[in-house]
Short mmCIF file of all heavy atoms in Angstrom, two decimals:
data_model
loop_
_atom_site.label_atom_id
_atom_site.label_comp_id
_atom_site.label_asym_id
_atom_site.label_seq_id
_atom_site.Cartn_x
_atom_site.Cartn_y
_atom_site.Cartn_z
N HIS A 295 -90.89 -84.69 -114.03
CA HIS A 295 -91.42 -85.68 -114.98
C HIS A 295 -92.79 -86.19 -114.55
O HIS A 295 -93.61 -86.57 -115.40
CB HIS A 295 -90.45 -86.86 -115.13
CG HIS A 295 -89.34 -86.55 -116.07
ND1 HIS A 295 -88.22 -85.86 -115.70
CD2 HIS A 295 -89.20 -86.80 -117.40
CE1 HIS A 295 -87.42 -85.70 -116.74
NE2 HIS A 295 -87.99 -86.27 -117.79
N LEU A 296 -93.04 -86.18 -113.27
CA LEU A 296 -94.33 -86.63 -112.77
C LEU A 296 -95.44 -85.67 -113.18
O LEU A 296 -96.54 -86.10 -113.53
CB LEU A 296 -94.25 -86.74 -111.23
CG LEU A 296 -95.46 -87.30 -110.52
CD1 LEU A 296 -95.63 -88.79 -110.86
CD2 LEU A 296 -95.30 -87.13 -109.01
N GLY A 297 -95.12 -84.39 -113.17
CA GLY A 297 -96.13 -83.37 -113.51
C GLY A 297 -97.33 -83.48 -112.59
O GLY A 297 -97.15 -83.56 -111.36
N ASP A 298 -98.53 -83.53 -113.17
CA ASP A 298 -99.74 -83.60 -112.36
C ASP A 298 -100.20 -85.03 -112.09
O ASP A 298 -101.21 -85.24 -111.42
CB ASP A 298 -100.87 -82.81 -113.04
CG ASP A 298 -100.53 -81.32 -113.07
OD1 ASP A 298 -99.83 -80.86 -112.14
OD2 ASP A 298 -100.94 -80.64 -114.03
N SER A 299 -99.43 -86.00 -112.58
CA SER A 299 -99.85 -87.40 -112.37
C SER A 299 -99.65 -87.79 -110.92
O SER A 299 -98.79 -87.22 -110.23
CB SER A 299 -99.03 -88.35 -113.24
OG SER A 299 -98.92 -87.85 -114.52
N PRO A 300 -100.41 -88.80 -110.44
CA PRO A 300 -100.20 -89.24 -109.05
C PRO A 300 -98.86 -89.96 -108.90
O PRO A 300 -98.41 -90.63 -109.82
CB PRO A 300 -101.36 -90.20 -108.79
CG PRO A 300 -101.88 -90.58 -110.13
CD PRO A 300 -101.49 -89.51 -111.12
N LEU A 301 -98.24 -89.76 -107.72
CA LEU A 301 -96.95 -90.40 -107.44
C LEU A 301 -97.18 -91.88 -107.09
O LEU A 301 -97.91 -92.18 -106.15
CB LEU A 301 -96.28 -89.67 -106.27
CG LEU A 301 -94.90 -90.15 -105.83
CD1 LEU A 301 -93.88 -89.97 -106.93
CD2 LEU A 301 -94.44 -89.38 -104.59
N THR A 302 -96.60 -92.77 -107.87
CA THR A 302 -96.78 -94.20 -107.60
C THR A 302 -95.42 -94.90 -107.56
O THR A 302 -94.44 -94.40 -108.11
CB THR A 302 -97.62 -94.88 -108.71
OG1 THR A 302 -96.90 -94.74 -109.95
CG2 THR A 302 -99.01 -94.28 -108.84
N TYR A 303 -95.41 -96.08 -106.93
CA TYR A 303 -94.17 -96.88 -106.91
C TYR A 303 -93.76 -97.25 -108.33
O TYR A 303 -92.58 -97.27 -108.66
CB TYR A 303 -94.38 -98.15 -106.07
CG TYR A 303 -94.44 -97.85 -104.58
CD1 TYR A 303 -95.61 -98.09 -103.86
CD2 TYR A 303 -93.34 -97.35 -103.92
CE1 TYR A 303 -95.66 -97.81 -102.49
CE2 TYR A 303 -93.38 -97.06 -102.56
CZ TYR A 303 -94.54 -97.29 -101.85
OH TYR A 303 -94.60 -96.99 -100.52
N GLU A 304 -94.75 -97.52 -109.18
CA GLU A 304 -94.46 -97.91 -110.57
C GLU A 304 -93.71 -96.79 -111.28
O GLU A 304 -92.77 -97.03 -112.02
CB GLU A 304 -95.75 -98.23 -111.34
CG GLU A 304 -96.48 -99.50 -110.91
CD GLU A 304 -97.15 -99.36 -109.54
OE1 GLU A 304 -97.54 -98.23 -109.17
OE2 GLU A 304 -97.23 -100.37 -108.82
N PHE A 305 -94.18 -95.55 -111.02
CA PHE A 305 -93.52 -94.41 -111.70
C PHE A 305 -92.06 -94.31 -111.26
O PHE A 305 -91.16 -94.19 -112.09
CB PHE A 305 -94.27 -93.10 -111.35
CG PHE A 305 -93.61 -91.90 -111.97
CD1 PHE A 305 -93.86 -91.52 -113.28
CD2 PHE A 305 -92.66 -91.16 -111.24
CE1 PHE A 305 -93.22 -90.43 -113.87
CE2 PHE A 305 -92.00 -90.07 -111.81
CZ PHE A 305 -92.30 -89.71 -113.13
N ILE A 306 -91.81 -94.39 -109.95
CA ILE A 306 -90.44 -94.26 -109.43
C ILE A 306 -89.58 -95.40 -110.00
O ILE A 306 -88.43 -95.19 -110.41
CB ILE A 306 -90.41 -94.34 -107.88
CG1 ILE A 306 -91.31 -93.29 -107.26
CG2 ILE A 306 -88.98 -94.28 -107.34
CD1 ILE A 306 -90.70 -91.99 -106.89
N GLU A 307 -90.15 -96.59 -110.01
CA GLU A 307 -89.39 -97.75 -110.48
C GLU A 307 -88.96 -97.54 -111.93
O GLU A 307 -87.78 -97.75 -112.27
CB GLU A 307 -90.27 -98.99 -110.34
CG GLU A 307 -89.49 -100.27 -110.52
CD GLU A 307 -90.34 -101.51 -110.23
OE1 GLU A 307 -91.26 -101.43 -109.40
OE2 GLU A 307 -90.05 -102.53 -110.86
N LYS A 308 -89.90 -97.10 -112.76
CA LYS A 308 -89.57 -96.91 -114.18
C LYS A 308 -88.55 -95.78 -114.32
O LYS A 308 -87.57 -95.89 -115.09
CB LYS A 308 -90.86 -96.58 -114.97
CG LYS A 308 -90.56 -96.35 -116.45
CD LYS A 308 -91.81 -96.37 -117.30
CE LYS A 308 -91.54 -96.13 -118.79
NZ LYS A 308 -90.31 -95.54 -119.19
N TYR A 309 -88.77 -94.71 -113.56
CA TYR A 309 -87.83 -93.56 -113.66
C TYR A 309 -86.41 -94.00 -113.29
O TYR A 309 -85.44 -93.70 -113.99
CB TYR A 309 -88.29 -92.42 -112.73
CG TYR A 309 -87.49 -91.17 -112.97
CD1 TYR A 309 -87.87 -90.24 -113.92
CD2 TYR A 309 -86.30 -90.95 -112.26
CE1 TYR A 309 -87.11 -89.10 -114.17
CE2 TYR A 309 -85.52 -89.82 -112.51
CZ TYR A 309 -85.94 -88.90 -113.46
OH TYR A 309 -85.16 -87.79 -113.71
N ALA A 310 -86.29 -94.74 -112.19
CA ALA A 310 -84.96 -95.17 -111.72
C ALA A 310 -84.32 -96.13 -112.73
O ALA A 310 -83.12 -96.02 -113.03
CB ALA A 310 -85.08 -95.83 -110.36
N LYS A 311 -85.09 -97.05 -113.26
CA LYS A 311 -84.52 -98.02 -114.21
C LYS A 311 -84.08 -97.31 -115.50
O LYS A 311 -83.01 -97.60 -116.04
CB LYS A 311 -85.54 -99.11 -114.53
CG LYS A 311 -85.66 -100.13 -113.40
CD LYS A 311 -86.60 -101.26 -113.77
CE LYS A 311 -86.60 -102.32 -112.67
NZ LYS A 311 -87.70 -103.25 -112.76
N ASP A 312 -84.90 -96.37 -115.98
CA ASP A 312 -84.51 -95.61 -117.18
C ASP A 312 -83.24 -94.81 -116.91
O ASP A 312 -82.34 -94.73 -117.76
CB ASP A 312 -85.63 -94.63 -117.59
CG ASP A 312 -86.83 -95.35 -118.17
OD1 ASP A 312 -86.71 -96.58 -118.44
OD2 ASP A 312 -87.89 -94.71 -118.34
#
Side-chain angles (χ1 to χ4, degrees):
H295 279 83
L296 184 68
D298 293 330
S299 315
L301 181 63
T302 61
Y303 287 115
E304 290 72 29
F305 178 84
I306 304 267
E307 192 174 330
K308 179 166 180 341
Y309 189 89
K311 283 184 175 165
D312 288 350

